[in-house]
C-alpha cells in the first residue's frame, strides 16, 4: 500500500514498473490470490504479480497446504503461460526470513531463472558443488508435488517444475519480532506524502494504511490510487503528491 501511495517499485513486480492497482483476494483473476499488484512499465505495458502469502510453508508432498500452494502457482504459470513467459505476469511467494524451506526454494528459483532452459538447469544441478544437497532435496520434494498434480510423464513434471521455479520470486516479510525492517522502510517511503515529510506523520499514516487494509482485504477490494486518496482524504498526516490518473495510464481490467 505504501508503494502504491508513493508510486515506488514493488518487490516482485519489477524495478521499472510503477504500481497502479492492488486486488485483495483476487480469485477471479488468479488462483494465487492473496494479493495481485498491477503496474505499468515504461513502455506503458501492463505488468502483474500474483503474491501468495505464507509465514513458513513446509513445501513437502505430504502436507496438503503445500500441495495446494504449489498447485495454485502451477495453475497460474500454465493458464497464463504466454504472459508469464514474457514477464508480464509474475509469481511471488511472501514468507518470513526464518523459513528454511522457502530459502531453499529461493535458491532453486534463482538457479532456474539464471539457467534459461530446462536442460541447462539440469546441467547446473549435476555440476559438482553447484547445488547443496538440502537444496537438491527440496527440488525433489517440489517435483513430487508437481508430478502429483499433472497427469504427464515424470520428465514433463521436471520441466514444469523448472518453468514454475524460473518465474517465481521470493519476498521476505520482515514485519514482526525483533526485525521490523520492512515497516521502517514503509514509514520512510511515506514521508514523501506527508505535509512536512516528517517521521511522526509518516508513522501515523502507516497506521492508517494498516487500518484500511483491514477493511480492504476481507472484502476482496480493488484499490487504485484514486480510491486510496479518497479514503485518506482529510487526514492531517497526508499530503498527496501529484500522480497520473488511471485514465491517463490506459490500463485494463486486471
Amino acid at each position: 500500500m505504501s508503494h502504491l501511495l508513493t508510486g515506488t517499485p514493488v518487490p516482485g513486480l519489477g524495478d521499472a514498473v510503477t504500481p497502479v492497482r492492488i486486488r485483495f483476494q483476487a480469485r477471479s483473476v488468479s488462483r494465487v490470490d492473496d494479493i495481485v499488484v498491477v503496474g505499468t512499465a515504461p513502455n506503458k505495458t501492463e505488468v502483474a504479480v500474483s503474491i501468495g502469502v505464507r509465514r513458513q510453508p513446509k513445501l513437502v508432498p505430504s502436507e496438503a497446504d503445500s500441495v495446494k500452494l504449489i498447485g495454485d502457482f502451477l495453475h497460474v504459470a500454465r493458464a497464463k503461460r504466454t504472459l508469464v513467459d514474457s514477464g508480464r505476469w509474475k509469481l511471488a511467494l511472501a514468507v518470513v526470513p526464518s523459513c528454511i524451506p522457502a530459502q531453499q526454494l529461493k535458491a532453486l528459483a534463482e538457479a532456474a531463472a539464471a539457467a534459461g532452459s530446462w536442460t541447462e538447469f539440469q546441467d547446473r544441478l549435476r555440476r559438482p558443488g553447484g547445488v547443496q544437497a538440502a537444496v537438491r532435496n527440496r527440488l525433489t520434494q517440489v517435483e513430487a508435488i508437481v508430478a502429483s498434480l499433472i497427469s504427464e510423464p515424470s520428465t514433463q513434471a521436471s520441466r514444469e517444475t523448472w518453468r514454475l521455479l524460473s518465474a517465481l520470486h521470493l519476498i521476505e516479510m520482515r514485519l514482526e519480532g525483533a526485525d521490523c525492517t520492512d515497516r521502517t522502510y514503509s514509514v520512510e517511503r511515506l514521508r514523501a506524502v506527508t505535509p512536512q515529510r516528517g517521521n511522526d506523520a509518516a508513522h501515523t499514516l502507516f497506521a492508517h494504511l494498516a487500518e484500511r487494509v483491514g477493511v480492504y482485504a476481507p472484502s476482496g477490494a480493488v484499490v487504485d490510487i484514486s480510491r486510496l486518496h479518497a479514503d485518506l482524504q482529510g487526514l492531517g498526516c497526508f499530503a498527496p503528491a501529484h500522480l497520473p490518473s488511471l485514465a491517463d495510464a490506459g490500463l485494463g481490467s486486471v
Side-chain angles (χ1 to χ4, degrees):
M1 295 289 285
S2 66
H3 289 285
L4 175 64
L5 195 57
T6 57
T8 51
V10 173
L13 186 62
D15 292 344
V17 179
T18 301
V20 294
R21 183 164 60 256
I22 300 173
R23 296 181 69 111
F24 294 89
Q25 304 301 323
R27 194 71 174 182
S28 62
V29 298
S30 170
R31 283 260 296 266
V32 181
D33 66 346
D34 290 315
I35 306 169
V36 172
V37 184
V38 180
T40 51
N43 62 359
K44 304 303 181 183
T45 300
E46 186 175 278
V47 181
V49 57
S50 297
I51 305 175
V53 182
R54 302 291 188 278
R55 290 189 75 259
Q56 299 194 56
K58 295 181 179 179
L59 302 175
V60 294
S62 59
E63 184 193 52
D65 287 345
S66 293
V67 174
K68 183 181 184 306
L69 176 65
I70 296 299
D72 287 344
F73 276 115
L74 183 63
H75 180 272
V76 177
R78 302 185 90 184
K80 302 182 183 296
R81 175 156 291 178
T82 300
L83 291 173
V84 171
D85 288 348
S86 68
R88 292 185 58 199
W89 200 294
K90 304 182 180 185
L91 303 171
L93 174 61
V95 298
V96 296
S98 60
C99 181
I100 300 302
Q103 292 297 328
Q104 295 165 346
L105 189 69
K106 179 180 180 180
L108 289 169
E110 290 174 348
S117 69
W118 176 75
T119 53
E120 186 179 346
F121 182 54
Q122 295 298 310
D123 289 342
R124 286 174 179 252
L125 294 176
R126 286 190 287 265
R127 293 173 191 170
V131 178
Q132 295 180 349
V135 175
R136 189 178 291 107
N137 180 63
R138 183 61 53 197
L139 175 62
T140 300
Q141 302 274 10
V142 175
E143 284 184 343
I145 295 175
V146 173
S148 71
L149 294 167
I150 63 175
S151 302
E152 298 173 27
S154 58
T155 301
Q156 185 61 25
S158 179
R159 289 179 181 273
E160 289 296 328
T161 301
W162 167 75
R163 293 177 69 91
L164 173 58
L165 289 172
S166 64
L168 188 62
H169 179 82
L170 270 291
I171 301 172
E172 295 182 350
M173 301 179 294
R174 296 167 297 179
L175 293 166
E176 57 189 17
D179 189 356
C180 293
T181 304
D182 289 326
R183 188 187 191 285
T184 302
Y185 286 157
S186 294
V187 171
E188 169 63 22
R189 195 176 300 119
L190 290 169
R191 290 180 60 189
V193 289
T194 60
Q196 281 81 41
R197 300 198 172 196
N199 289 333
D200 288 347
H203 172 81
T204 301
L205 182 55
F206 181 92
H208 282 292
L209 286 180
E211 291 177 0
R212 295 311 308 168
V213 171
V215 175
Y216 296 148
S219 62
V222 179
V223 182
D224 58 31
I225 193 65
S226 298
R227 176 171 181 179
L228 194 52
H229 277 200
D231 288 347
L232 297 176
Q233 187 176 7
L235 294 178
C237 59
F238 179 50
H242 174 71
L243 292 173
S245 67
L246 290 183
D248 293 336
L251 300 177
S253 59
V254 175

